[in-house]
Amino acid sequence: MTHVDGETRVVAILGDPIAQAKSPELFNALFERYKVNAVLVPFHVPTANFGTVLEGLRGVVNLAGVVVTVPHKLLACAYTAHLSDAARQTGAINCLRREMDGTWTGAMFDGAGFVAGLHGRKHDVCGKSALIVGAGGAGVAVAHALIDAGVASLDLFDSNAASLQRLAGALRARNSRTVIRESTACAQASHDLVVNATPCGMRAGDTLPIDLTDAGPQTVVADLIMKPAETGLLAAAKARDLATHPGRHLLENSIEAMAAFLRLIPTLSTRPAAVDNADSAAA
Amino acid sequence: MTHVDGETRVVAILGDPIAQAKSPELFNALFERYKVNAVLVPFHVPTANFGTVLEGLRGVVNLAGVVVTVPHKLLACAYTAHLSDAARQTGAINCLRREMDGTWTGAMFDGAGFVAGLHGRKHDVCGKSALIVGAGGAGVAVAHALIDAGVASLDLFDSNAASLQRLAGALRARNSRTVIRESTACAQASHDLVVNATPCGMRAGDTLPIDLTDAGPQTVVADLIMKPAETGLLAAAKARDLATHPGRHLLENSIEAMAAFLRLIPTLSTRPAAVDNADSAAA
């Protein structure tokens, strides 16, 4: 529950659709926990209106910032004067902060939020072997973050060969120690982590985006999809007694970083986010 | 307390400043009472940004509408394709609804809300004699609404002679049975109602906008200022044992009409607004 008065600062989340977004509830609970007089509200904004809406919001003095979600994460970059490292690497943003000079700074917390969520569930990734299926915005963000976190090898698949090549090339250009390989949509016995970064699984009747037949018993199966909470992939993983990692952990572990970036909470807390502890039993 | 999720519809109130606005609390309590999934949020918008912000909001699909407050009530008319009768009479609006074709319809509820507030406090105005000091937006709205409510005579004063003449001329052009007179800022023994429609009284140390020396014992002294709740004028009226009518009644009695205009609540309830009953003891 949120208190709104004349002094409340406003954050808008822009997406199309937006009804499914969990950010309003998560952010507003965070603001309440920190006793910050702010509210995050959903803005359903079609792509054709994105620039006009953003320009309008730039003129609102008590706007604290903008959260950007599907399908605007790539487009939003065009409106920024500055980008965070993760935003530059991924070419996508999920958060916009208005600076004193009226320009926008864009940042991307999806990848870091995903890795923080894994760590919060005691799934370490340093030195491990991972597979990411899907080289769109989410897959790109997660791939860069897994390299930042020190994965030993990263297998990649996308049904679009150009997207796959582009991502593999960008990751290799970082000259990290991570081995980058184009792969298939099949878990291998050696994978410690497989990640669905495609939209496949959002709708009932979707086929499984990743073949788990050869997955080893140590494999953690992660899905970035937030709705449904249990995708077909996660259900299949459970049936195989594999550890599962649902999509909500990404958001739950990035909102505190986003609120700090928007200067709504003073510093990042170092404890695991309370929302992550609260639902331990559910995972 | 307000619940905000991905399906919440949004109303923005645009003003400069906005921190003092009571609309967020009043509207959000109304939405809660009606179990409507909507939230009103404050937008601090300087005049130079008004058009850009409004154009941006026009592109937000789940926007239910816009509430307009000082100093934008006159300016906002320029952005409308249609106006309600009260909006046309006053040349000002306090509410904007986006129609299916993307145009804005403007409406003005200040005057009707003020009269409804008087009626709610059992101060009938039909056949009575009133004085309005201040011929700006608020004074114009109240003057037209008092004529609609059947006042017998309306005395007007503004320190700006042109504003005074313009209002008097517009009111006379309605050819109502109300006698319209240019007057002074002095209550007379015959006045049943005197209304401060100037900003004088918002700041500590302001002089009294109306001289109450000659007011009769039946005189109701109303102030449209909402903050402070008790202006110097109302304090002076109390000292003379005159009935007082603070500014909050206007807003409290117009929000339900505004929410109905924005199609957020199905019909206007005919009972007195609960917020009006709740604070009877305070008036």
Side-chain angles (χ1 to χ4, degrees), chain B residues 120-121 252 271-281:
Chain B
R121 314 302 296 177
E252 289 169 356
R271 64 179 171 73
V275 283
D276 195 51
N277 291 333
D279 61 10
S280 302

Side-chain angles (χ1 to χ4, degrees), chain B residues 11 72 92 125 166 168 185 196 200-201 235 250 259:
Chain B
V11 184
H72 305 310
V125 293
R166 193 162 48 237
N196 174 39
C200 184
L250 184 165

Side-chain angles (χ1 to χ4, degrees), chain A residues 1-8 10 18-19 21 24-25 28 39-46 49 52-53 55-57 59-62, chain B residues 1-8 10 18-19 21 24-25 28 39-46 49 52-53 55-57 59-62:
Chain A
M1 300 301 278
T2 300
H3 174 79
V4 181
D5 61 30
E7 302 190 45
T8 301
V10 178
I18 199 67
E25 283 143 306
N28 292 328
V39 64
L40 184 139
V41 293
F43 270 20
H44 179 184
V45 178
N49 300 354
T52 310
V53 172
E55 185 59 15
L57 288 173
V60 178
V61 176
N62 62 321
Chain B
M1 298 305 276
T2 299
H3 174 79
V4 181
D5 61 30
E7 302 190 44
T8 301
V10 178
I18 200 65
E25 284 143 306
N28 292 329
V39 64
L40 183 139
V41 292
F43 270 20
H44 180 185
V45 179
N49 300 353
T52 310
V53 172
E55 185 60 13
L57 288 172
V60 178
V61 176
N62 63 321

Side-chain angles (χ1 to χ4, degrees), chain B residues 55-76:
Chain B
E55 185 60 13
L57 288 172
R58 204 163 67 90
V60 178
V61 176
N62 63 321
L63 184 91
V66 174
V67 175
V68 178
T69 190
V70 178
H72 305 310
K73 290 184 183 184
L74 303 173
L75 172 67

Side-chain angles (χ1 to χ4, degrees), chain B residues 5 24 61 83 93 96 103 126 149 175 178-179 186 199 204 217-218 253 264 267 277:
Chain B
D5 61 30
V61 176
L83 288 173
I93 61 179
L96 285 164
T103 61
C126 184
N175 290 317
T178 304
V179 177
C186 300
Q218 83 291 354
N253 283 276
L264 282 168
T267 52
N277 291 333

